[in-house]
Amino acid sequence: MRRAPARAPARASVVASVVVAALTACTGPGGTPPATTATASPAPPEPPVASGEPAPTAEPDPGMLPYGYVDHAAVAPGWVGAPLEADGVFVGPGTTAAGDDAVIAVDSGGTVLWTASGPDATHVDLTRADGRALAVLSVPTGGGDWSAAAYDLVSGEPVWGPVGVSGEPAGPRLVVGTGAGRAALDARTGGTVDAPADDVVLAERDGVVVSRSGTHLRATRDGDLRWAVGPAELDLPSDANPALVAEATPPPGMLVVGAADDGGPRTGTLVDLDDGAVVATDVRDVRVDAVLGGVVALGDGTLSAHADGGPVWSRDVPDGAELAAVAGVLAYLRVGDGVMVVNTATGADAVAYDAPGPGGLAVPAVVAATGAAAMLTDEWVLLTTSTPDEP
């Protein structure tokens, strides 16, 4: 599987009045590394094999972990990068105990649900169709073509495919190809979704296809138009062409859309895909906050919370801060080699760690509504919803 490079733990540092320290590196949520050009033409990944066995136990230094995770059981599924997550199931490329490349799915209790052997170029996406989450595995087959197949995220049972795909995965979710040739795949069948000739496909989110038509943003499902909004509704310049903010990793049901330019928009508007409504503006990245019942959004030098259709609070944060995760009532931000923690109920500084040891601090990277979290210590681990003494 494609391996995400890990930064070595760095020395402790201080940001504002918060306890901060060097962190172990991680890719962002949904951290499947970018597509690379394959030198061979592998066959599609083998269908997943059900497991039901506990993942290997991990023993990270408790001093590296946030207070809320010190007493949680930890497992090391073998992931080589940050996994994706849906419905409390974490899935990502990794290496089995036998040393084989595989996609590995683990539930929030640390049980391996299934593994799927495949080449190290396997790309993993998640989507949703007919009320269930699907893992879509894609591999290059030569000449710029790929093969994709979908499996039930929990059971690993085949749902559709393999199907031939003209173009590499481009994301978000089931989008393939480049430029005006981008196309979305039907989450239910794997077939290509037809888009109007003048539209440019931007994203697929759980069966909703989002495209650009001139200066307007359009969302369709099963070929039916759900909504269309123009620059004014998106808080964009009147002549702006909508484009995705590439660095943003919004939760399901949302996208961050800005004004296209040569370098791509740095910030944009957070849009609800149900109706095209604006949730927040000046957004670089965003995470869901299950406790707040809303989202926490990072802008240029700002952090804000939004719930019940409006803002809750807003505050300044250091330039260059990156939003790593929201877990419980805490937002974790990476600031250079440091960690900044903010209380999401109030926006105030918070403390989540003791003074760092030689291993630095581990920061949550992917957090499920169950409370389980994936983070990088000296390896990718899953802090489960149970404690070591629980079955």
Side-chain angles (χ1 to χ4, degrees), residues 11-23 315-322 333-342 349-351:
R11 300 296 179 186
S13 57
V14 177
V15 176
S17 60
V18 188
V19 173
V20 294
L23 54 141
R315 59 162 293 168
D316 293 337
V317 294
D319 290 339
E322 300 176 15
L333 294 92
R334 295 188 291 265
V335 184
D337 288 334
V339 183
M340 180 176 185
V341 184
V342 175
D349 293 344
V351 177

Side-chain angles (χ1 to χ4, degrees), residues 282-324:
D282 185 32
V283 175
R284 280 180 51 208
D285 207 354
V286 61
R287 298 288 183 272
V288 68
D289 187 328
V291 176
L292 187 66
V295 297
V296 174
L298 176 69
D300 267 338
T302 64
L303 187 72
S304 58
H306 305 261
D308 299 325
V312 179
W313 52 260
S314 181
R315 59 162 293 168
D316 293 337
V317 294
D319 290 339
E322 300 176 15
L323 182 57

Side-chain angles (χ1 to χ4, degrees), residues 101-374:
D101 291 322
V103 176
I104 304 168
V106 183
D107 70 14
S108 292
T111 298
V112 178
L113 300 177
W114 52 265
T115 60
S117 299
D120 62 4
T122 301
H123 181 95
V124 184
D125 283 301
L126 294 181
T127 191
R128 186 176 297 275
D130 298 326
R132 60 178 172 176
L134 307 179
V136 179
L137 311 185
S138 305
V139 297
T141 55
D145 292 335
W146 286 62
S147 176
Y151 306 93
D152 184 280
L153 179 60
V154 176
S155 68
E157 295 177 352
V159 176
W160 52 257
V163 298
V165 178
S166 181
E168 65 181 355
R173 302 292 174 91
L174 304 190
V175 175
V176 298
T178 58
R182 288 162 59 99
L185 302 184
D186 188 320
R188 296 177 306 173
T189 67
T192 300
V193 176
D194 292 330
D198 295 335
D199 280 21
V200 176
V201 173
L202 300 181
E204 184 275 342
R205 284 276 183 172
D206 297 343
V208 176
V209 177
V210 180
S211 60
R212 181 181 71 229
S213 179
T215 59
H216 282 62
L217 196 69
R218 295 162 39 94
T220 59
R221 182 190 287 274
D222 298 331
D224 296 327
L225 181 66
R226 293 172 62 94
W227 50 261
V229 296
E233 295 95 330
L234 295 171
D235 196 40
L236 300 179
S238 60
D239 59 348
N241 291 319
L244 299 185
V245 175
E247 294 182 1
T249 53
M254 296 184 181
L255 281 181
V256 183
V257 181
D261 56 31
D262 291 341
R266 176 176 171 80
T267 63
T269 299
L270 181 63
V271 179
D272 188 323
L273 296 187
D274 281 340
D275 53 12
V278 169
V279 179
T281 58
D282 185 32
V283 175
R284 280 180 51 208
D285 207 354
V286 61
R287 298 288 183 272
V288 68
D289 187 328
V291 176
L292 187 66
V295 297
V296 174
L298 176 69
D300 267 338
T302 64
L303 187 72
S304 58
H306 305 261
D308 299 325
V312 179
W313 52 260
S314 181
R315 59 162 293 168
D316 293 337
V317 294
D319 290 339
E322 300 176 15
L323 182 57
V326 172
V329 294
L330 299 177
Y332 295 82
L333 294 92
R334 295 188 291 265
V335 184
D337 288 334
V339 183
M340 180 176 185
V341 184
V342 175
N343 185 309
T344 62
T346 65
D349 293 344
V351 177
Y353 299 91
D354 286 324
L361 300 180
V363 180
V366 185
V367 181
T370 60

